[in-house]
Amino acid sequence: MREREERELAKTIIKQDQDSTQELNQEVEEVIRSGRYSEGAKRSMKVRMKSQVGVEEIMARKGKLADDTEHKDIWIKRDMNLEEREKEKVLRNEAEEKNEKRTEIEKKNFYWSVLDKRLKKWYLRKKEEVVEEARN
């Protein structure tokens, strides 16, 4: 029964992620929970899809979940092998180091984060506002 509920949860989240013409929730092949079941505990879930096309569509639209208040604490990440996880760990450490070295002004304007296996600078305000403030 728990497996069926988990499968339905995965389908619901995928349905939130897709546009109205797609039926990606029908692409769910298998749902696997990690760790032991414990009442009320949160565990990660691995969802295996029938096609790579479905995976790419979901990954392209995963940002839509940010607007979904019911599932706001759910994250979608691509499954990675050991080598990919190690590379991402190095990038996360690099982002953390760069964030620690920012000046107070820089902290108001941007931060470093890892996205799609790349180190990325995220601006908190428009670049034009930052330039204007620097001029003043």
Side-chain angles (χ1 to χ4, degrees):
M1 184 167 135
R2 193 168 55 237
E3 289 175 11
R4 187 177 28 178
E5 289 173 1
E6 291 169 352
R7 188 178 188 88
E8 289 305 312
L9 174 62
K11 286 183 174 186
T12 301
I13 292 165
I14 290 169
K15 198 164 184 71
Q16 287 291 120
D17 189 41
Q18 68 192 16
D19 64 32
S20 59
T21 61
Q22 297 172 311
E23 290 294 329
L24 295 176
N25 58 334
Q26 302 301 318
E27 291 280 314
V28 174
E29 187 174 302
E30 182 180 20
V31 176
I32 303 164
R33 280 282 192 173
S34 63
R36 280 183 187 248
Y37 174 77
S38 178
E39 187 73 33
K42 295 181 180 181
R43 300 181 296 152
S44 60
M45 179 187 294
K46 181 177 181 177
V47 179
R48 183 171 286 141
M49 305 294 287
K50 292 178 184 175
S51 73
Q52 187 63 28
V53 173
V55 171
E56 297 303 327
E57 289 290 331
I58 290 168
M59 295 307 289
R61 291 184 174 82
K62 68 183 181 179
K64 287 176 67 176
L65 284 177
D67 299 330
D68 183 9
T69 55
E70 186 178 345
H71 301 108
K72 67 181 178 191
D73 57 345
I74 294 177
W75 299 85
I76 296 178
K77 288 183 70 178
R78 182 177 303 284
D79 191 25
M80 295 184 279
N81 62 33
L82 183 60
E83 183 181 333
E84 291 169 326
R85 287 194 302 270
E86 288 295 326
K87 285 181 182 178
E88 186 167 283
K89 184 177 180 180
V90 169
L91 287 173
R92 280 195 314 270
N93 289 337
E94 189 178 334
E96 189 175 317
E97 287 174 17
K98 285 186 171 203
N99 284 330
E100 288 173 1
K101 292 178 182 177
R102 292 176 299 163
T103 65
E104 289 303 314
I105 293 172
E106 289 175 336
K107 287 178 182 178
K108 293 178 185 176
N109 296 320
F110 69 87
Y111 65 95
W112 293 94
S113 184
V114 178
L115 177 68
D116 296 330
K117 302 175 190 172
R118 291 182 311 208
L119 191 59
K120 185 169 183 241
K121 192 180 210 179
W122 291 91
Y123 285 93
L124 302 171
R125 299 185 292 168
K126 292 180 183 174
K127 289 182 186 179
E128 296 82 26
E129 293 175 12
V130 175
V131 170
E132 186 63 34
E133 184 177 299
R135 286 184 195 155
N136 295 331

